[in-house]
């Protein structure tokens, strides 16, 4: 399996400002120290050696993660996604760029919840407009379809949901039940969040990916902790809502429905997970701040590891790919 991140930001999309881009370019020029490059390709090779925050950015699209089956399932034009945040738009464009408007394609979209940042990419998902395509939207909320329809209803959007040309079906799942969908064993789990959210555990050929965003963890409940340890158990990859620092999560932002990097480390260690990906970044955080949280999380993991195998830590960015 391969996880490809199309949107990693929480709450609302953000973009680098002109001043921030200028700052990065100036930093890169300083680090280059007068070197010259014969062409763009050589300069890009050099840029790849610079610190991530100098040469790149974590990006600003909201939640959308693709799971690509390796080898692909029986139908190569079958796609699996978690959430339909603004990252869904570049995903749809990439599919069109690869295959053109050829149909049919089947898109399986697993929804954590219908908060706006998780559905806002849908009206801009071009494959939904193309007859012949099939969209299967899964979730545990009974009002999921209504939320999708409402964001495209007047006066909020010019194109009504009924105008979409693809064959679109909403499929309600029950938390705690196991399903076999698109070549994956899928188990949804209820999470603590305003209006509820659901995480998903995906299993295929011995590999496990957990998608767990918009989830607040109160570690004072042993029962709740235990249920998440079971949910994350032995996972190769845990995509985790680490929107806040621990200090924020336990003080000002308690009950805001999100979690911290520290809780992610603790739960992953208890569960024997292998790779923790910090996800749903706070939109206020600049690249340097997210990189700082990533480094701080790695230090914490090393300090608390004891005899357990190392837990790999990454901060998700738009464009990140992880092979399992
Ligand atoms: Zn969110
Ligand atoms: Zn939410």
């Amino acid at each position: 399996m391969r996880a490809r991140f199309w949107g990693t930001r929480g709450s609302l999309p953000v973009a680098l400002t002109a001043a921030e881009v200028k700052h990065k370019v100036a930093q890169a020029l300083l680090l280059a120290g007068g070197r010259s490059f014969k062409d763009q390709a050589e300069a890009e090779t050099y840029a790849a050696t610079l610190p991530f925050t100098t040469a790149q950015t974590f990006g600003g699209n909201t939640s959308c993660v693709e799971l690509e089956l390796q080898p692909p399932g029986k139908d190569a034009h079958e796609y699996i996604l978690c959430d339909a945040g603004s990252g869904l738009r570049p995903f749809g464009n990439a599919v069109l760029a690869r295959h053109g408007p050829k149909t049919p394609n089947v898109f399986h979209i697993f929804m954590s919840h219908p908060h706006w940042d998780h559905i806002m990419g849908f009206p801009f998902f071009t494959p939904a407009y193309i007859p012949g395509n099939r969209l299967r939207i899964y979730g545990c909320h009974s009002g999921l379809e209504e939320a999708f329809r409402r964001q495209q209803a007047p006066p909020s959007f010019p194109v009504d949901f009924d105008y979409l040309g693809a064959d679109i079906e909403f499929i309600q799942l029950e938390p705690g039940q196991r399903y076999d969908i698109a070549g994956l064993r899928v188990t949804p789990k209820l999470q603590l969040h305003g209006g509820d959210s659901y995480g998903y555990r995906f299993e295929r050929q011995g590999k496990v990916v957990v998608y767990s965003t918009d989830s607040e963890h109160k570690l004072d409940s042993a029962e709740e902790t235990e249920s998440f340890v079971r949910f994350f158990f032995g996972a190769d990859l845990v995509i985790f809502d680490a929107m806040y620092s621990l200090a924020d999560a336990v003080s000002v932002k308690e009950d805001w429905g999100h979690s911290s990097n520290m809780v992610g480390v603790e739960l992953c260690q208890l569960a024997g997970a292998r790779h923790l990906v910090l996800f749903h970044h706070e939109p206020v955080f600049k690249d340097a701040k997210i990189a700082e949280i990533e480094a701080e999380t790695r230090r914490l993991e090393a300090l608390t590891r004891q005899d357990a195998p190392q837990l790999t830590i990454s901060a998700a960015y738009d464009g990140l790919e992880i092979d399992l």
Side-chain angles (χ1 to χ4, degrees):
M1 248 190 296
R2 172 179 293 158
R4 187 177 289 121
F5 294 77
W6 292 95
T8 58
R9 192 64 68 155
S11 301
L12 89 164
V14 292
L16 286 176
T17 62
E20 285 161 358
V21 173
K22 186 175 69 180
H23 183 76
K24 282 176 188 282
V25 171
Q27 264 186 343
L29 289 170
L30 274 178
L31 288 168
R35 280 176 71 142
S36 61
F37 305 96
K38 72 175 186 318
D39 55 20
Q40 178 79 17
E42 195 179 295
E44 289 200 17
T45 303
Y46 173 72
T49 67
L50 294 175
F52 181 85
T53 52
T54 300
Q56 300 179 58
T57 181
F58 288 95
N61 273 317
T62 63
S63 303
C64 184
V65 178
E66 178 187 3
L67 297 180
E68 194 177 83
L69 304 186
Q70 305 275 333
K74 60 178 174 14
D75 180 358
H77 296 286
E78 196 164 28
Y79 300 90
I80 299 156
L81 297 149
C82 297
D83 280 333
S86 68
L88 186 66
R89 187 184 62 86
F91 163 77
N93 293 345
V95 170
L96 286 173
R98 231 180 298 151
H99 303 301
K102 206 167 60 191
T103 59
N105 299 288
V106 185
F107 301 92
H108 301 272
I109 308 178
F110 292 89
M111 295 299 306
S112 62
H113 64 315
H115 275 171
W116 193 30
D117 54 321
H118 297 257
I119 63 172
M120 58 168 46
F122 192 79
F124 303 94
F125 182 48
T126 313
Y129 291 79
I130 301 174
N133 281 333
R134 295 169 62 200
L135 275 64
R136 297 290 172 264
I137 304 174
Y138 307 87
C140 299
H141 289 82
S142 56
L144 197 56
E145 179 168 356
E146 170 61 21
F148 274 78
R149 288 183 168 279
R150 205 168 42 212
Q151 78 168 339
Q152 286 188 236
S156 301
F157 200 73
V159 185
D160 195 82
F161 190 93
D162 283 329
Y163 181 80
L164 298 173
D167 168 37
I168 303 173
E169 188 185 344
F170 287 84
I171 298 155
Q172 185 154 3
L173 305 179
E174 289 295 323
Q177 297 289 320
R178 283 182 179 181
Y179 300 89
D180 288 308
I181 300 169
L184 291 161
R185 167 67 53 91
V186 184
T187 315
K189 183 185 187 330
L190 175 65
Q191 305 177 133
L192 179 63
H193 192 64
D196 293 342
S197 74
Y198 297 88
Y200 293 92
R201 182 182 170 99
F202 299 97
E203 298 169 71
R204 178 182 161 89
Q205 296 172 347
K207 296 291 182 187
V208 179
V209 175
V210 174
Y211 179 74
S212 175
T213 193
D214 296 61
S215 175
E216 182 166 358
H217 296 273
K218 295 182 182 295
L219 292 179
D220 48 9
S221 159
E223 197 183 326
E224 192 237 292
T225 302
E226 186 48 43
S227 80
F228 275 94
V229 169
R230 278 199 303 274
F231 189 53
F232 291 3
F233 196 77
D236 297 279
L237 185 64
V238 176
I239 300 164
F240 186 83
D241 169 8
M243 192 167 182
Y244 303 138
S245 68
L246 183 66
D248 277 348
V250 298
S251 57
V252 277
K253 289 171 181 172
E254 186 174 3
D255 298 324
W256 284 29
H258 296 282
S259 203
S260 79
N261 55 333
M262 306 292 187
V263 176
V265 169
E266 187 169 346
L267 287 172
C268 283
Q269 284 174 334
L270 289 168
R274 288 173 192 80
H275 192 160
L276 165 66
V277 174
L278 310 175
F279 185 74
H280 202 273
H281 305 304
E282 160 69 59
V284 162
F285 289 169
K286 305 294 182 205
D287 286 327
K289 174 72 179 178
I290 297 171
E292 190 185 302
I293 292 173
E294 184 185 38
E296 172 196 79
T297 313
R298 286 180 178 149
R299 280 197 299 276
L300 174 87
E301 187 278 330
L303 283 171
T304 54
R305 186 182 308 154
Q306 297 176 332
D307 297 331
Q310 184 181 350
L311 168 67
T312 305
I313 311 279
S314 310
Y317 60 88
D318 298 5
L320 172 66
E321 292 184 358
I322 296 175
D323 286 324
L324 304 175

